[in-house]
Amino acid sequence: MSHPQSYELLLTPHHSRTRTGAPGRPIRSAVVAATGETGASGYPRYAGEGMEADIDPETRAVEAVLVDGEELDYGMSVRVAGAEGERPAS
């Protein structure tokens, strides 16, 4: 099975107190490229621009992630960009 060679990841605050519980606007984005390695999660590993992630290519779910070498702070999430019209913050 062929996997995508890159993804754009969006780092967003998760507002659990909103009615929808939906993530907020992206505060950072990064284009990550396939490393050719498999992460501890068993999914392909991608890295670039300070982010490293294991991504399930079938569902596009981020299964594991480091931002600037650190785990995510509580209340933050990372997702793959791609919803029509979705743009990262500048």
Side-chain angles (χ1 to χ4, degrees), residues 15-63:
H15 300 291
S16 61
R17 293 185 180 171
T18 64
R19 284 179 279 161
T20 64
R25 294 178 48 124
I27 59 172
R28 180 173 168 181
S29 68
V31 175
V32 293
T35 65
E37 299 175 357
T38 300
S41 67
Y43 293 105
R45 170 78 40 101
Y46 293 80
E49 300 183 33
M51 291 191 192
E52 189 172 335
D54 298 356
I55 301 172
D56 177 345
E58 188 173 319
T59 64
R60 296 170 42 116
V62 177
E63 299 293 339

Side-chain angles (χ1 to χ4, degrees), residues 2-4 7 11 24 31 33 46 52 55 57 70 73-74 82 84-85 89:
S2 177
H3 302 297
Y7 289 103
L11 175 65
V31 175
Y46 293 80
E52 189 172 335
I55 301 172
E70 302 287 331
D73 288 338
Y74 181 74
E84 191 170 318

